[in-house]
Amino acid sequence: MAHAAPVAAGFQDCRNIWVSTLEQLAEADPRIVAVVNDSVGSSKLNSFQKRFPDRLINVGIAEQAMVGIGAGLANGGQIPFVSAAGCFITGRALEQVKADIAYAGFNVKLVGQSSGVAYGELGATHHSIEDFAWLRPLANLTIITPADAWETAEAVKWAAAHEGPVYLRLSRMPVPDLHIADRQFRPGKAELVRPGGDVTLIACGTTVHLAAGAAGRLADQGISARVLNFSTLNPLDEEALYAAAATGAIVTVEEASIRGGLGGAVAEFTAAHRPVPVERVGFPGFLPTGSVDWLFKEYGLSPEGIAAAALRALDRKA
Amino acid sequence: MHMNDKIPLIREKALWMRRTAFAMVHRAQLGHPGGDFSAIDILATLYFGVMRFDPKRPDWPDRDRFVMSKGHATGALYTALCAAGYFPEDWLATYMQPRSLLNGHPNRNYLPGIETNTGPLGHGFPVATGIAIAGQLAGAGYRTFVLTGDGEQQEGSNWEAAMVAGHRRLSNLTLIIDRNRLQQGAGTEETSGLDPLDKRYDAFGFDVTEVDGHDPAALLAVLGAAPGSKPRCVIANTTKGKGVSFMENVASWHHGVPNDAQFEQAMKELV
Ligand SMILES: Cc1ncc(C[n+]2csc(CCOP(=O)(O)OP(=O)(O)O)c2C)c(N)n1
Ligand SMILES: [Mg+2]
């Protein structure tokens, strides 16, 4: 579909590790099955399908049924990973996600592929930038947006072992490894990418490395920016947010709408508990035609754009 | 003019659409050429043989409506609209470029002649059903045509719309199914089978006709015929990638894009 962007050295398409991890898990646990909507290729599940032909359930182009079928499979004792483009598994099947998965509390792993604006030129129907806002009120649905290959593998393993509904928001945008020493995957906890005390940059998914780049630029100007990888959006890491508020200024960064997602959650929490300037970097609404790279630059999802947002937040700092 | 007198024009437009759509996809290195090519003869027949419209007045209330439910096939739709006079040819070169009006999926706020935004499959048929009900309520004479993919028929929303259209005997509505027997990753029948599609639509209250979807005369005969007493379903048997030897019936050309050599080869074949 959209361009396979040339992969820069050290950058990886995390779909590869998503599927190799799932295959390892499936080898060990026969209850793990994959459910797709004509999305075998776009979910990179071709090798899974070859290895476990009976455990790849392609329902055709029918997302509402797909999510409902996931709930039914969980009822029957399977551990379904339901995998489809983020825009369709959330938007098209939203009521199934709400009623059949979250409200009913089934042990289903929803996997939103090519989330954010990965489909670039295919336009707003194919962008999945509203998913955070749609899903965040489903309080018992764990929402995880891994930032790199290591975290993708950890999140898939954790989701398989965890009893309960999960939304994994994956991407095919190549990202570099975050290179954090002695990492431990702690769902529900923000991960410290870089310490700092003047401002906190809170990012998730494909934008964490960009926020780290922004912190480098800010350091050149004598500004010490903390960078958090906020990979779990539900439940919210309140402790990390109190600490972020204590730096006196916050920037949120997400490959999503600035309404109701990570920025919305942080603004909501800080306004209620510890008011502090919050600048939200993300997308304002339906986007014009354009490639992923163009959209990222145009809307300030870049080290420069994030650093500029940090300066705006610092300007507003009491 | 006898209906069949239109056939040379339809063929000429269809050829231009194939060549032009493939050039757009080649330049952008993006698009859905397989589904463009299976649909192009259908669109050429509608725009140059069947529908009443005026590109100078895209909001003319009595225009016949065409809804492109398989919205990924913008190579087919944009070349049809351009050939029909809705916008100048030089716009086609902007396909998929930043801020282009020719987005990867059609947007009615960007271009004249687009009745509704599509891209997520299973949306066009319900919207077309609403347009047909509006025509019935207004006592208007326009007809509504909607084209879906065949894989797209797996979406339940189509069958909800079919129930409404059949129930209300929307004789002003024609559903065309691009029956190329392939969806994105595989064949329709090996994924979630649709056959017997004719019997299914018959049971939902449609007049069903199967035609060769690449034969303008056959398409003209059924699409140009006056409405009957029921909604019409035209199962257009087509070939995905039609017209280019190495693309025909090859699933990966769903969203495959040509390199320079493949493009040159296709231009030699499309004559
Ligand atoms: C709701 C939804 N699910 C999935 C997709 C992704 N998708 C785009 S085209 C396509 C295959 C369509 O097959 P078909 O309807 O047969 O179209 P054609 O063969 O004419 O290209 C799929 C799965 C989509 N656009 N919308
Ligand atoms: Mg098809």
Side-chain angles (χ1 to χ4, degrees):
Chain A
M1 288 216 180
H3 263 308
V7 179
F11 279 57
Q12 291 188 57
D13 175 344
C14 296
R15 287 180 304 175
N16 295 320
I17 195 133
W18 125 261
V19 69
S20 60
T21 308
L22 189 72
E23 284 178 34
Q24 276 168 27
L25 294 165
E27 194 68 69
D29 188 338
R31 295 172 301 165
I32 290 179
V33 297
V35 188
V36 297
N37 65 328
D38 193 13
S39 50
V40 178
S42 51
S43 294
K44 287 254 184 196
L45 283 165
N46 307 74
S47 56
F48 182 100
Q49 185 176 34
K50 279 209 184 72
R51 272 174 86 172
F52 311 104
D54 300 339
R55 290 157 67 185
L56 186 288
I57 297 148
N58 186 353
V59 303
I61 310 168
E63 294 74 19
Q64 299 180 55
M66 172 184 71
V67 172
I69 287 166
L73 284 161
N75 172 302
Q78 310 285 334
I79 303 176
F81 278 74
V82 182
S83 173
C87 54
F88 304 132
I89 197 172
T90 61
R92 187 55 163 276
L94 188 53
E95 190 173 280
Q96 280 78 9
V97 172
K98 172 185 166 182
D100 307 347
I101 307 295
Y103 187 45
F106 276 117
N107 188 27
V108 173
K109 318 306 160 185
L110 302 165
V111 186
Q113 299 282 356
S114 302
S115 59
V117 297
Y119 283 121
E121 299 88 340
L122 297 190
T125 55
H126 282 55
H127 296 160
S128 185
I129 61 174
E130 302 88 358
D131 51 350
F132 282 155
W134 286 338
L135 300 184
R136 208 160 59 78
L138 308 176
N140 66 326
L141 178 72
T142 306
I143 301 177
I144 299 179
T145 310
D148 64 6
W150 177 85
E151 196 176 25
T152 301
E154 293 301 308
V156 173
K157 287 186 242 174
W158 179 83
H162 171 75
E163 176 77 30
V166 177
Y167 177 60
L168 290 179
R169 189 192 205 245
L170 302 188
S171 178
R172 59 152 158 211
M173 288 277 292
V175 286
D177 203 277
L178 288 181
H179 293 302
I180 298 171
D182 303 321
R183 271 174 107 176
Q184 242 190 333
F185 181 69
R186 294 190 305 156
K189 289 285 162 207
E191 181 180 44
L192 184 65
V193 177
R194 178 180 174 125
D198 295 331
V199 56
T200 305
L201 314 181
I202 302 179
C204 66
T206 54
T207 65
V208 177
H209 75 97
L210 302 174
R217 283 166 187 259
L218 291 165
D220 295 342
Q221 302 174 49
I223 297 162
S224 151
R226 178 181 308 167
V227 179
L228 297 181
N229 169 17
F230 217 86
S231 46
T232 307
L233 188 53
N234 261 359
L236 211 56
D237 182 350
E238 303 191 348
E239 201 187 339
L241 291 184
Y242 279 122
T247 65
I250 293 177
V251 177
T252 60
V253 195
E254 60 200 306
E255 190 187 343
S257 170
I258 54 169
R259 300 160 194 253
L262 174 64
V266 170
E268 207 175 82
F269 181 85
T270 53
H273 301 289
R274 203 62 58 89
V276 61
V278 176
E279 288 287 329
R280 293 163 302 156
V281 178
F283 298 112
F286 298 133
L287 302 175
T289 310
S291 69
V292 190
D293 290 343
W294 183 80
L295 290 168
F296 265 58
K297 292 205 180 74
E298 190 73 7
Y299 291 91
L301 280 79
S302 61
E304 310 82 71
I306 297 165
L311 295 179
R312 290 197 302 274
L314 285 163
D315 252 4
R316 294 167 53 201
K317 193 167 167 175
Chain B
M1 184 157 97
H2 187 269
M3 213 153 67
N4 283 349
D5 296 346
K6 297 171 178 166
I7 291 171
L9 177 70
I10 293 170
R11 286 195 197 284
E12 177 200 317
K13 296 290 184 188
L15 178 63
W16 179 84
M17 287 166 66
R18 277 197 174 79
R19 292 178 62 91
T20 307
F22 210 50
M24 288 160 59
V25 171
H26 177 236
R27 194 184 300 109
Q29 286 293 294
L30 280 170
H32 292 86
D36 287 339
F37 285 4
S38 65
I40 274 175
D41 299 304
I42 298 164
L43 269 75
T45 304
L46 284 170
Y47 280 95
F48 298 101
V50 177
M51 294 203 305
R52 287 183 316 165
F53 61 91
D54 178 358
K56 303 272 161 333
R57 285 190 298 157
D59 56 355
W60 176 37
D62 279 333
R63 70 190 181 282
D64 287 342
R65 268 69 163 179
F66 173 66
V67 174
M68 184 68 162
S69 194
K70 44 172 279 187
H72 54 285
T74 38
L77 180 65
Y78 294 157
T79 52
L81 292 174
C82 180
Y86 280 101
F87 57 81
E89 206 172 316
D90 57 358
W91 290 19
L92 294 172
T94 70
Y95 188 46
M96 309 268 194
Q97 296 306 304
R99 296 197 187 285
S100 174
L101 302 178
L102 280 70
N103 185 64
H105 293 94
N107 183 324
R108 67 189 283 266
N109 305 301
Y110 292 177
L111 288 176
I114 295 173
E115 299 293 348
T116 189
N117 294 19
T118 51
L121 298 165
H123 283 241
F125 185 13
V127 174
T129 301
I131 296 172
I133 295 172
Q136 213 180 40
L137 292 175
Y142 67 77
R143 299 179 65 190
T144 302
F145 300 88
V146 51
L147 178 69
T148 75
D150 50 358
E152 181 176 8
Q153 287 291 324
Q154 291 158 349
E155 289 286 2
S157 52
N158 290 301
W159 300 93
E160 298 177 17
M163 222 175 297
V164 174
H167 176 78
R168 302 180 78 100
R169 304 183 78 83
L170 297 177
S171 57
N172 54 355
L173 177 66
T174 299
L175 163 68
I176 309 164
I177 301 172
D178 185 345
R179 186 74 173 111
N180 57 31
R181 305 190 90 85
L182 284 175
Q183 46 196 95
Q184 181 167 287
T188 57
E189 300 315 287
E190 60 185 296
T191 303
S192 186
L194 300 166
D195 284 334
L197 200 48
D198 53 345
K199 292 209 175 73
R200 290 181 180 186
Y201 270 100
D202 178 66
F204 274 69
F206 282 62
D207 264 330
V208 183
T209 313
E210 270 197 64
V211 294
D212 175 348
H214 298 303
D215 177 358
L219 286 165
L220 265 181
V222 55
L223 297 173
S229 60
K230 294 173 170 184
R232 189 168 284 155
C233 170
V234 177
I235 300 175
N237 291 315
T238 56
T239 302
K240 207 157 173 170
K242 173 74 177 180
V244 176
S245 56
F246 56 86
M247 293 172 64
E248 289 192 356
N249 277 318
V250 178
S252 60
W253 280 101
H254 174 73
H255 50 74
V257 295
N259 60 29
D260 292 346
Q262 289 167 324
F263 178 66
E264 291 310 325
Q265 177 63 29
M267 289 301 111
K268 280 189 201 134
E269 295 185 22
L270 293 170
V271 287

